[in-house]
Amino acid sequence: MLNEEKKKLLEELLTNLTREEISWVNGYFSGLLQPASGVHPPAPEDVAPAAGFTQAPAKLVLAYGTETGNAKKLAGKLVAAAKKKGLNFRLAGLDNYRFADLSKEDHFFVIISTQGEGEPPIPAKAFYDQLMEKTLTLPNIKYSVLALGDTSYPLYCKTGEDVDAAFEKHGATRVLGIQRCDVDYEEDAAAWFEKVMEIAGRAGTVTQPSKTAVLAAGAGAVTGVQTGITSPVGSIPAANGATPAAKKPAGKKYYDGRISSNIVLNDHGSEKQTYHIEISTEEEVTYECGDTIGIVPRNRPDVVARIIALSGLPGTEELQASRLAAPLEELLTRHVNVCYLMGNTVKKYAAITGHTIPDVRMDLVDLLRIYPVADTGQFREVIKILLPIAPRLYTVASSPSAHGKEEVHITVARDRFMAEDEQRFGLCSEFLGDQPAGTPLTFYVHREKNFKMPASGGTPMIMIGPGTGIAPFRSFLAERDATGADGRNWLFFGERHFLTDFLYQSEIQAFVETGVLEKINLAFSRDQEHKVYVQHRMLANAAELYEWMEAGAHVYVSGTKDPMSKDVEACLLKIIGQEGQLSEEEAKAYLDRMDKENRYQTDVY
């Protein structure tokens, strides 16, 4: 007990102190009571403050990086689930996140997908680049990463792995090991977030001590043994507390099929080549309208022959690649990617050969031609750094009810581009376009859970799909026709020229004549002086479009991401604002609600 003189001195001192300073004194006195036992005291956030002290909620952030929208939708669902348990997570898109705020965060959980050959989502690239390149000190952040990917790709969760490693490098504390997820991510993601919520719940609330108090705590001055302190909140798991290893993906079901039909949909004189390809199987294919199929292409024979010639080795010699050993010709034809190599692969090539090569992406044949290997030994090393050929995904253009379950159809546009002053073509689109009927083909089904027809056949559908974006809508319309669904259907389709590029024209006209399609609006951009696109047709029908949406219609957008899907979304927002007499913010909220209700879905690439 204090005598009256000491008690008076203490009261005078406390009268002039701020709450933060009182918190520091609280920790200081506790440090004086700490026994010299070598036991490390708990951190300040593990100690409940004395009665009357204020507390602030721990800052919980769930950030997402997405290109297709899966990570965003998943993050939104998880935050909603957390709120029901009384945990307030702030939802943050990495495309809009202020990187300067990162060092101020307490708990930072990330959901991020991997695109293509190990690349970050384009909207999250700026955040990713800064996290990788900047020198940071993040000792106060507790984090965990959920990585979304597709095990068909060799670097299927690389972006998430990079982010996880970068946070650790910058001094952040990993409170939960990285969770890798395949395309069927729901179960693993839910299990990961349950652990995240447990951590958030134990974090509870944190005191707001002064910087001096934090330093004192770091020096071992703070302990939980002090008068007036309530029971501890509970500590965060150790930095190395990782989640149990994710269960190994069960693997995809591969189907052996055969191309039964390969038809060019464009007429003579078209500047494009678009193929309708039908693949038949001897077993039933399990898929739904809106799904995609994955196809692993083969490299062109002439390209393989050029690489073999430049290598100095016979095509029959067996070489070791990253995943298997096989004769060189077989490796180059069926297993390793030789087209448009990633920048990291080009850097490895430069290290092997000793050449100084710009930071670019190049085909292997161009690397060998411009920056040749010194000998066959160097080429053997080059083969080891080549990544496996990644599958390409194509949206299904057929309906199980209309076309049977032993075949699947796709719509493929031959991709053309210039490289090294030569006309080049996309690997898979050229591969598929060149295959005659009877060619064997192996594929798997990729379930698209966020691009599905309405559960009710009576729900109206608005489908916006220029170019090969028509593929899923051919599927949707055929399914509704075959099942006798009575929901209204409205299609917006666009291409360059009516006479040469009206894909599936006879089928679409038949849907109109039989009443399956209630409305259709066409936009052929090059048939008049000024270019006309689907968004122009949408604006011309703004009032009726809004009426359909108000009546519960589902809106679907399929086709190229940039700029088509962005222009279409901007047009929808304009229509919603104009016809609903809403502000920009209110129009965006309207479309966001449709998105959350699965009434606004996109399939863009």
Side-chain angles (χ1 to χ4, degrees):
M1 295 291 294
L2 294 176
N3 61 35
E4 288 300 319
E5 183 179 355
K6 290 180 179 178
K7 185 176 179 182
K8 183 177 181 181
L9 286 172
L10 181 59
E11 288 175 348
E12 287 177 358
L13 173 64
L14 294 176
T15 300
N16 296 317
L17 293 181
T18 66
R19 288 183 175 180
E20 287 186 351
E21 290 169 332
I22 292 172
S23 178
W24 181 86
V25 171
N26 186 40
Y28 177 77
F29 285 157
S30 299
L32 296 178
L33 296 173
Q34 174 68 27
S37 61
V39 178
H40 293 289
E45 61 264 36
D46 294 337
V47 181
F53 282 34
T54 58
Q55 292 179 308
K59 290 187 290 184
L60 306 170
V61 177
L62 185 60
Y64 61 85
T66 185
E67 190 157 324
T68 63
N70 285 344
K72 179 181 179 180
K73 288 184 177 180
L74 175 60
K77 290 179 180 178
L78 296 180
V79 166
K83 285 184 177 179
K84 291 179 180 178
K85 294 189 175 183
L87 295 169
N88 187 26
F89 281 80
R90 177 164 62 90
L91 189 62
L94 293 179
D95 51 339
N96 296 317
Y97 184 81
R98 277 171 39 96
F99 195 81
D101 291 341
L102 187 59
S103 60
K104 306 171 187 175
E105 305 291 5
D106 292 331
H107 296 75
F108 199 80
F109 301 101
V110 182
I111 300 176
I112 192 164
S113 61
T114 296
Q115 305 301 311
E117 297 178 350
E119 298 164 345
I122 291 175
K125 191 173 187 305
F127 177 91
Y128 174 89
D129 288 345
Q130 291 183 85
L131 189 65
M132 296 300 120
E133 298 167 6
K134 286 194 172 184
T135 301
L136 303 171
T137 303
L138 305 173
N140 299 321
I141 288 185
K142 300 170 181 65
Y143 78 96
S144 181
V145 176
L146 178 77
L148 298 180
D150 182 342
T151 50
S152 299
Y153 292 79
L155 301 176
Y156 87 108
C157 279
K158 182 177 184 299
T159 299
E161 292 168 350
D162 289 347
V163 170
D164 179 74
F167 270 104
E168 182 180 42
K169 175 184 174 183
H170 297 317
T173 300
R174 183 189 294 110
V175 293
L176 200 59
I178 184 172
Q179 175 68 65
R180 298 171 183 84
C181 295
D182 199 1
V183 290
D184 296 323
Y185 53 78
E186 284 82 359
E187 184 178 334
D188 286 336
W192 173 80
F193 197 64
E194 279 294 325
K195 295 183 178 70
V196 167
M197 288 193 292
E198 288 176 13
I199 291 167
R202 288 198 296 268
T205 56
V206 295
T207 58
Q208 300 294 305
S210 66
K211 292 181 180 178
T212 311
V214 173
L215 291 173
V222 179
T223 177
V225 186
Q226 60 190 72
T227 305
I229 294 184
T230 58
S231 59
V233 174
S235 58
I236 299 298
N240 294 325
T243 56
K247 65 179 185 293
K248 186 176 180 181
K252 295 179 173 61
K253 162 70 175 175
Y254 281 85
Y255 296 92
D256 292 319
R258 190 172 297 275
I259 293 178
S260 55
S261 180
N262 190 345
I263 302 168
V264 177
L265 294 173
N266 307 90
D267 211 335
H268 296 294
S270 175
E271 301 164 336
K272 294 188 172 186
Q273 286 180 288
T274 310
Y275 305 94
H276 171 74
I277 298 174
E278 300 180 0
I279 306 166
S280 300
T281 61
E282 293 185 359
E283 62 177 316
E284 288 191 356
V285 181
T286 303
Y287 79 95
E288 296 177 356
C289 300
D291 286 342
T292 59
I293 64 169
I295 297 172
V296 179
R298 297 183 182 183
N299 291 311
R300 288 170 47 191
D302 61 315
V303 172
V304 171
R306 289 173 67 187
I307 293 173
I308 291 174
L310 291 166
S311 75
L313 291 170
T316 55
E317 180 164 336
E318 185 166 296
L319 296 183
Q320 179 66 48
S322 61
R323 292 190 175 182
L324 78 163
L328 176 58
E329 184 175 10
E330 181 183 340
L331 282 176
L332 294 173
T333 301
R334 301 182 59 184
H335 299 293
V336 297
N337 178 52
V338 300
C339 298
Y340 202 47
L341 304 183
M342 292 180 64
N344 189 45
T345 303
V346 175
K347 288 178 183 177
K348 291 179 181 178
Y349 180 96
I352 291 170
T353 61
H355 291 293
T356 301
I357 304 175
D359 186 13
V360 294
R361 298 186 66 172
M362 297 179 68
D363 289 354
L364 178 60
V365 70
D366 293 324
L367 278 175
L368 290 167
R369 179 173 54 84
I370 302 170
Y371 308 101
V373 293
D375 51 42
T376 56
Q378 283 190 355
F379 183 80
R380 288 187 177 91
E381 293 303 309
V382 168
I383 284 292
K384 295 177 183 178
I385 67 171
L386 299 178
L387 297 172
I389 299 175
R392 273 59 169 179
L393 296 177
Y394 293 94
T395 306
V396 168
S398 53
S399 149
S401 300
H403 302 103
K405 296 181 179 180
E406 294 180 352
E407 64 179 86
V408 63
H409 306 170
I410 54 176
T411 311
V412 180
R414 182 172 288 218
D415 182 24
R416 305 182 183 192
F417 59 95
M418 297 296 295
E420 296 295 321
D421 297 324
E422 289 185 20
Q423 176 76 66
R424 304 285 177 90
F425 300 95
L427 174 61
C428 199
S429 64
E430 184 177 33
F431 165 75
L432 289 171
D434 289 343
Q435 303 308 311
T439 301
L441 196 67
T442 301
F443 66 94
Y444 66 89
V445 174
H446 178 109
R447 305 302 295 270
E448 293 289 351
K449 297 183 179 179
N450 295 314
F451 195 78
K452 290 298 181 191
M453 296 176 65
S456 168
T459 302
M461 294 195 305
I462 299 170
M463 298 161 284
I464 305 162
T468 54
I470 190 65
F473 304 141
R474 177 183 186 260
S475 169
F476 285 12
L477 292 168
E479 182 74 10
R480 282 205 155 178
D481 185 31
T483 58
D486 58 0
R488 297 184 297 163
N489 303 304
W490 188 349
L491 175 67
F492 289 85
F493 173 74
E495 252 295 356
R496 290 190 175 181
H497 300 286
F498 173 82
L499 292 177
T500 59
D501 303 316
F502 192 166
L503 308 182
Y504 298 113
Q505 179 180 355
S506 59
E507 292 185 27
I508 291 173
Q509 287 176 331
F511 286 139
V512 173
E513 291 170 2
T514 57
V516 176
L517 257 179
E518 180 171 319
K519 290 183 66 67
I520 181 171
N521 289 97
L522 305 171
F524 294 99
S525 59
R526 271 66 165 184
D527 279 352
Q528 57 282 311
E529 183 178 352
H530 301 290
K531 292 179 181 177
V532 175
Y533 299 111
V534 288
Q535 57 265 32
H536 297 119
R537 301 304 190 204
M538 291 166 63
L539 286 171
N541 293 271
E544 190 170 2
L545 258 176
Y546 186 70
E547 287 177 7
W548 277 52
M549 286 189 281
E550 283 286 274
H554 286 216
V555 178
Y556 299 88
V557 182
S558 175
T560 56
K561 179 178 182 179
D562 196 7
M564 185 280 294
S565 70
K566 296 179 181 178
D567 291 342
V568 166
E569 182 163 309
C571 181
L572 282 170
L573 289 170
K574 184 176 181 179
I575 290 171
I576 292 168
Q578 171 186 302
E579 300 302 320
Q581 298 183 340
L582 304 174
S583 66
E584 288 186 15
E585 293 76 14
E586 290 170 333
K588 188 176 185 308
Y590 185 104
L591 195 60
D592 285 344
R593 283 195 301 273
M594 288 186 63
D595 185 17
K596 290 176 182 177
E597 295 167 359
N598 292 322
R599 290 181 50 224
Y600 175 53
Q601 301 182 38
T602 61
D603 173 32
V604 297
Y605 38 85

